Amino acid sequence: MNIGDKIPEILGFDANGREVKAADFAGKKLVIYFYPKDNTPGCTAEACSLTEGYDALRKAGYEIVGVSKDSAASHLKFAAKYALPFTLIADTDTALNQAFGVWKEKKMCGRTYMGTVRTTFVTDEAGVITHIITKVNTKDAANQILAL
């Protein structure tokens, strides 16, 4: 997905098995942040930054949705452990990762594998992408969004 594209209507299923749709956020700006894995240092820092800045983000008109390929059960534990106030989508088949173009080949320790490239998409009230953050500051993610 690129700036100017409208996000898909069906986003996936949250940790409680509820279908999440773009229409659920109609009239609000939406932050969809893709992250590699629950309970890892960078992903935890990003989720906590968004939690700490949640009230300011909401006052600025944003709703937040996190997406990773972790299971619903993993998301439930992650959200409970860090008191995350926003929706997490369990994209176990990576369909949403692929639709947004963040499921890519990665390399670590000489190993090549497919994984999520940490990326944040911001939409307007009509679900059209207005900003894409590819260099996410995990420790200051909320302020990075608020500065847009």
Side-chain angles (χ1 to χ4, degrees), residues 8-20:
E9 178 53 31
I10 306 298
L11 298 175
F13 291 89
D14 70 11
N16 296 307
R18 185 183 67 83
E19 188 173 55
V20 180

Side-chain angles (χ1 to χ4, degrees), residues 27-105:
K28 297 178 180 173
K29 295 179 275 187
L30 181 61
V31 172
I32 304 174
Y33 81 98
F34 289 84
Y35 65 98
K37 189 158 180 50
D38 291 343
N39 289 303
T40 56
C43 298
T44 299
E46 184 176 14
C48 290
S49 171
L50 293 169
T51 297
E52 289 164 13
Y54 188 67
D55 289 339
L57 287 161
R58 296 283 306 271
K59 282 182 186 156
Y62 293 104
E63 290 293 333
I64 302 169
V65 172
V67 182
S68 83
K69 69 182 271 327
D70 291 304
S71 68
S74 176
H75 281 345
L76 280 173
K77 289 177 190 168
F78 185 53
K81 184 176 181 179
Y82 296 102
L84 305 181
F86 44 81
T87 299
L88 296 178
I89 292 176
D91 188 33
T92 56
D93 63 0
T94 71
L96 196 60
N97 274 263
Q98 291 180 52
F100 276 79
V102 299
W103 186 251
K104 296 184 178 180
E105 189 174 276

